Amino acid sequence: MRQSRFAGSVRLLALLLVLPLPGFRSAAAPIVIGEPGRLTTITREVSWPAGTAIQLVGPVVVDSGGVLRIAAGARVEASVGAFIAVSRDGWIDAAGTLEEPVELTCATVPRFTGCWGGLIVQGNARINVGETSSPAGGRGGVGGCRESLEPIVPELAFGGCNDADSSGALRHLRIEYAERGLQLQGVGSTTVIERVQVNRSRFDGALIIGGTANARELFLTANGTGLRWSGGWRGAAQRVAIQQDVANFRAALVGQNASVAGGDVDAEPRSAPTLFNLTILAQSIPGNPTHASARALVFERGTAGTLRNAFLYAPHVALDIVDAATCLQLASGALSLRHVVTAGATSAGEGTVDAACGRTEAEVLGDPAAANVVLPLASGLLASSNDLLLPDLRPVAGAALATATAAAPGGGFISGPAYVGAVQPAAQSGQIPWFSGWTNPAPTPAPIPNGTVAGRVVSPFRGALAGVTVRDAVTGASAVTTAAGTYSLSLPAGTALLEVPAVPVECTVPGARSAPVQPMMTTAFDLSVDCWPFPGNTRIDAGDGFACGVADQGTFCWGLNTRGQLGNGTTTDATLPVQVFGTFTSVAAGLAHACGREVSGVVRCWGAGDAGQTGVGPTIDRPIPAPVSGGHLFAGVTSGRAHSCAVKADGSVWCWGDNTRGQLGDGSTTASGVPVQVASSVLFAAVSAGGSHTCALDRAGAAYCWGDGTEGQLGDGTSVGRAVPAAVATLERFAAIAGGGDAHSCATTAAGGVRCWGANESGQLGDGTQVRRLAPVAVASGQVLGGVALGARHSCAVREASTIGCWGLNTTGQRGDGTLSIQSTPTTIVGSPNMSAVTAGPDFSCGITFGAVTSDGGGGIIISLRSLLCWGRNERGEFGRGDQASSLTPVPGATGLTFPR
């Protein structure tokens, strides 16, 4: 079960949302809501009033306990990157009237399609996509039905078991110039949706995924696609008018069962909505970029549905039934089109469809047994044909459409007189259609010039990354970085999704990152890539009295083994490396347990399990690696004192084990023997577990921490613990982050600076003092640093010159400089061997030497093997060299092992 996602995890700027305090603002002052790039969460009842502009500068989520009331006449102006999402546990009441509709639009001048995100409403009704993991309680009452994650805010799960759920009410609402105008995700049948216009959305005007939502009088104008459904929608809609822009649109209506291409076309519950009284104006011209595929009705991916009393005006293609799965629904009668009038189509159908249909689309639309009619001309049928400025979709009195035979409504939600189309023919002079007065025209906008996104792709040590590709996942546009690591992309206004799909082998591919694109403006947007200073992530990690590493010969551990932390099936200590049962690409060592990630993404853990830190359920020790529960696939794993965490490719973080200080980040302090999801809407790229706290970086490089905060190790400016992620108090963005084994944390900037925070009694923050810091301070180093590793009270990093520098506690020689003195700034280890990686245990450290590259004299090269050097305490065989002799300076370790480049 997912826990509360947002409580305490973001700044609640909803205090601005309108408690009209004396002296707070004048009546005309704008109300500013949100924070650019950060979610604002509403968890109580708030109201957005009319009479003043409401400026939405960042995304807003209405979560559990939250009620958002938008007053009649209110106008919300959103910035690029802003959107409104109502979770399945939230509620919305947009209470517009005919005279005073609610308007959701964008703040840019000029406005353009996609200049803000749109409105997402979620519910607890059944869907046919996702896992059967919906929670009991809430508005659903029953758990175990399918739930799916919202892709923009993956922490928001929608769907459940309550088809009669209500997410609130939308009345006389206009949504304009959004990426996707209105999204209904698992919304139930008692949600009120009446008289909603969606105008000039970049993609879908209305997108309905599953649920049983009912809607009446939708006016969808000049959107990329007017109406799309998938995921098992079984609601009803009556009086729906879809008016496409002649010059540019994709399709008017698209019905699907499977939510994604290649998905289960027979997933249950099957999409089977009922639509009565539909008018589609889908006239197209050759200048339309999508002219060849511009269609009025598209049914695909196994959808069923009932369509009655529809009018299709002058479409390029009137009907397209795409695949065999949908043809089977047509043949069985589960997909039914009756009383459909098509006028002036370039082509009634796409052509001969799958044999399972038994007939062409043209034959379906011309079937007299279904009272379907195909008219050769469209003129003279409507009062105003395809006018986006002054639309009038009423049938002309006496014309073929006004006198067409129509089916009577079927009862229930569908009601009223029988007629073809979305608008009743005028019965008397002065009668106006239902969409008049509260809707806006959709004039063809002036061409919107592109904007530019430009910046650098940089990494610690490596600095600028030349010759790598930066690509916008939305448009496919790409650019290759220069020798200085710079790139520049000219992109359509809206939101770009930038990715670096391929990086050097010693670097980690970063997650995609959203960047705003403004017309005729340049947005500076640097991309940070985490790279090791020299080829090869050696993947070694030190625990308390033991260490593990991925070597050329396999995965090995050595040292203390009282809890089975060496992973070789015994509890016998080993001063020489012993092979772990399993093959791993990376390892993570905790106090007395360890975890490894297989190439497939499966994570296995071994050793102490008393707090559930092995992630396999029962709290018992495991001397042999066992897969963590849940069947998860992870991109990386980290281990703290008695807990572990792992990040997925989708940006979610999952933790298991001890949780007495909230280090699992799920909003509780209850230990868990199985992975639980960190309660955050943030998309994370990296995570690192400290002693009793955890830190992570989001995909933009911003740092967050949670768990024990008594020494300031969360870096949020306080000494308070947090059970959910809190933002570190800095505007800097980082390429890597590390949590200390005791109570400090450090992060590396893209330029190779290191910032640390938390406990500092031994100088472990490296800022030249021994003063505790509640927010990041700079490590005092004259060189570029990276690959930072934190012990209990000391820290080490690889320097630009490939030497190791350490600082902090040194009672066992863990700093490697030949002394036992405390040092609050980095000192160089004795001998200054070339090293490419370092790891730090509580009281010892190890590093991997950098193998030399030499010529063989015949045009080839010779690459020397890389070995381990260790220093500090070795009383339990931490060095892996066959003895228990400690050392104040580096000595060879991990006898017999070499490490890959």
Side-chain angles (χ1 to χ4, degrees):
M1 179 186 299
R2 289 182 173 84
Q3 306 295 319
S4 176
R5 298 170 294 279
F6 304 109
S9 65
V10 293
R11 299 180 181 89
L12 182 57
L13 301 186
L15 292 177
L16 299 175
L17 303 189
V18 193
L19 287 177
L21 302 177
F24 177 69
R25 60 178 176 85
S26 67
I31 301 171
V32 180
I33 298 168
E35 182 179 1
R38 296 280 183 91
L39 283 178
T40 292
T41 307
I42 296 174
T43 55
R44 61 181 179 85
E45 183 169 333
V46 298
S47 297
W48 294 354
T52 185
I54 298 169
Q55 297 177 355
L56 189 65
V57 299
V60 167
V61 170
V62 185
D63 202 30
S64 179
V67 176
L68 174 59
R69 300 192 186 279
I70 309 179
R75 176 182 171 89
V76 180
E77 298 177 348
S79 301
V80 174
F83 57 85
I84 301 170
V86 182
S87 80
R88 65 183 172 192
D89 299 312
W91 183 275
I92 185 171
D93 182 14
T97 66
L98 180 65
E99 296 79 15
E100 293 186 306
V102 171
E103 184 175 3
L104 307 181
T105 187
C106 67
T108 61
V109 178
R111 294 183 296 181
F112 56 89
T113 58
C115 59
W116 73 292
L119 174 63
I120 302 167
V121 180
Q122 299 183 318
N124 292 278
R126 289 181 299 149
I127 61 177
N128 69 18
V129 61
E131 300 179 357
T132 54
S133 54
S134 67
R139 294 199 301 256
V142 178
C145 294
R146 288 183 182 269
E147 61 177 352
S148 185
L149 296 180
E150 210 298 308
I152 299 176
V153 193
E155 290 298 326
L156 289 180
F158 62 90
C161 301
N162 183 8
D163 283 345
D165 186 32
S166 175
S167 300
L170 307 175
R171 295 185 179 91
H172 288 99
L173 169 67
R174 292 202 308 261
I175 304 171
E176 298 184 330
Y177 297 95
E179 286 273 337
R180 286 181 170 85
L182 175 63
Q183 297 185 57
L184 303 175
Q185 302 175 342
V187 171
S189 61
T190 57
T191 304
V192 177
I193 305 169
E194 298 177 346
R195 297 202 170 183
V196 174
Q197 181 189 16
V198 184
N199 193 13
R200 289 221 174 267
S201 288
R202 184 179 184 183
F203 298 109
D204 302 313
L207 171 61
I208 306 176
I209 304 176
T212 53
N214 298 320
R216 183 174 283 115
E217 295 176 345
L218 299 181
F219 196 45
L220 309 175
T221 50
N223 302 292
T225 298
L227 171 64
R228 183 188 301 270
W229 72 72
S230 68
W233 179 41
R234 290 150 292 122
Q238 187 176 21
R239 294 190 289 278
V240 178
I242 302 175
Q243 189 175 13
Q244 296 295 74
D245 185 341
V246 170
N248 189 4
F249 73 93
R250 297 170 182 83
L253 181 150
V254 178
Q256 303 165 331
N257 186 46
S259 294
V260 296
D264 183 2
V265 295
D266 292 316
E268 295 289 344
R270 185 182 299 275
S271 294
T274 298
L275 281 78
F276 256 76
N277 302 112
L278 173 70
T279 292
I280 291 179
L281 281 73
Q283 188 177 8
S284 186
I285 60 175
N288 182 350
T290 58
H291 174 75
S293 60
R295 296 160 291 175
L297 296 175
V298 181
F299 299 109
E300 61 184 1
R301 300 181 191 170
T303 190
T306 299
L307 183 65
R308 298 288 186 269
N309 298 349
F311 174 55
L312 312 181
Y313 175 87
H316 176 62
V317 175
L319 173 64
D320 187 10
I321 300 175
V322 176
D323 47 45
T326 311
C327 280
L328 290 174
Q329 299 304 309
L330 180 72
S332 70
L335 175 62
S336 172
L337 289 75
R338 300 180 64 86
H339 300 279
V340 178
V341 175
T342 305
T346 304
S347 173
E350 189 71 25
T352 302
V353 294
D354 191 278
C357 282
R359 49 186 172 157
T360 66
E361 293 109 333
E363 290 171 333
V364 172
L365 289 181
D367 184 2
N372 295 337
V373 177
V374 177
L375 302 175
L377 298 175
S379 60
L381 298 179
L382 297 179
S384 173
S385 59
N386 207 51
D387 190 342
L388 286 168
L389 289 174
L390 294 172
D392 190 345
L393 308 185
R394 291 176 297 176
V396 173
L401 181 60
T403 58
T405 303
F413 179 79
I414 305 297
S415 62
Y419 54 88
V420 172
V423 184
Q424 187 174 3
Q428 58 189 20
S429 177
Q431 179 177 325
I432 63 173
W434 54 263
F435 55 80
S436 295
W438 60 275
T439 62
N440 262 353
T444 300
I448 301 297
N450 279 6
T452 300
V453 179
R456 301 176 69 224
V457 180
V458 295
S459 169
F461 297 101
R462 295 286 301 271
L465 293 184
V468 299
T469 298
V470 179
R471 182 173 62 198
D472 173 33
V474 177
T475 64
S478 63
V480 176
T481 57
T482 67
T486 61
Y487 75 94
S488 179
L489 286 171
S490 176
L491 298 171
T495 301
L497 189 62
L498 300 183
E499 55 188 9
V500 183
V503 294
V505 293
E506 64 272 22
C507 304
T508 300
V509 175
R513 296 170 182 174
S514 298
V517 185
Q518 300 274 20
M520 298 182 295
M521 295 178 61
T522 296
T523 300
F525 202 85
D526 290 344
L527 293 163
S528 179
V529 178
D530 186 16
C531 297
W532 288 82
F534 299 103
N537 177 351
T538 51
R539 302 184 183 95
I540 57 170
D541 205 21
D544 187 5
F546 77 106
C548 296
V550 178
D552 290 308
Q553 296 83 0
T555 303
F556 290 80
C557 295
W558 53 90
L560 190 65
N561 196 30
T562 55
R563 307 291 296 274
Q565 57 263 54
L566 300 191
N568 67 338
T570 76
T571 54
T572 304
D573 297 348
T575 59
L576 287 170
V578 294
Q579 189 157 13
V580 178
F581 285 113
T583 302
F584 302 100
T585 61
S586 62
V587 288
L591 181 73
H593 79 289
C595 296
R597 177 188 178 274
E598 296 176 346
V599 68
S600 65
V602 170
V603 167
R604 297 176 183 268
C605 298
W606 59 93
D610 54 303
Q613 59 266 55
T614 54
V616 293
T619 53
I620 59 174
D621 294 356
R622 293 185 178 272
I624 295 176
V628 299
S629 298
H632 301 280
L633 299 179
F634 294 109
V637 65
T638 178
S639 294
R641 180 178 291 120
H643 76 291
S644 295
C645 295
V647 62
K648 286 187 175 181
D650 65 5
S652 63
V653 170
W654 300 69
C655 299
W656 56 93
D658 183 31
N659 198 28
T660 53
R661 310 308 294 268
Q663 57 264 50
L664 300 190
D666 66 340
S668 77
T669 54
T670 303
S672 177
V674 298
V676 294
Q677 189 170 357
V678 171
S680 175
S681 62
V682 174
L683 299 181
F684 291 107
V687 63
S688 180
S692 295
H693 73 290
T694 309
C695 293
L697 296 180
D698 71 10
R699 291 179 175 177
Y704 295 79
C705 296
W706 58 92
D708 186 9
T710 53
E711 293 296 327
Q713 60 265 51
L714 304 188
D716 64 347
T718 75
S719 56
V720 176
R722 311 281 185 184
V724 294
V728 174
T730 178
L731 295 178
E732 286 195 284
R733 296 296 180 257
F734 302 104
I737 197 164
D742 201 345
H744 74 297
S745 308
C746 294
T748 308
T749 69
V754 174
R755 309 290 185 259
C756 296
W757 56 92
N760 196 28
E761 69 277 15
S762 300
Q764 58 263 48
L765 301 188
D767 66 338
T769 76
Q770 292 174 251
V771 178
R772 181 181 71 171
R773 305 291 187 177
L774 304 182
V777 293
V779 173
S781 172
Q783 296 189 45
V784 172
L785 300 176
V788 176
L790 308 185
R793 297 186 183 182
H794 80 291
S795 309
C796 294
V798 183
R799 284 174 160 158
E800 185 176 22
S802 73
T803 60
I804 300 293
C806 298
W807 59 95
L809 191 67
N810 198 30
T811 53
T812 60
Q814 58 264 54
R815 263 206 344 264
D817 62 355
T819 76
L820 292 173
S821 63
I822 287 176
Q823 179 61 253
S824 57
T825 58
T827 60
T828 304
I829 63 172
V830 171
S832 301
N834 289 340
M835 291 193 179
S836 62
V838 65
T839 184
D843 43 22
F844 73 104
S845 309
C846 295
I848 297 294
T849 63
F850 175 56
V853 180
T854 57
S855 171
D856 64 0
I861 60 172
I862 299 174
I863 302 174
S864 65
L865 299 176
R866 304 200 300 173
S867 59
L868 190 72
L869 296 179
C870 296
W871 55 96
R873 182 177 177 178
N874 188 36
E875 296 175 3
R876 294 164 292 190
E878 291 96 325
F879 294 177
R881 55 182 282 135
D883 62 24
Q884 294 171 281
S886 300
S887 177
L888 304 183
T889 59
V891 295
T895 300
L897 297 184
T898 57
F899 293 86
R901 294 185 57 78

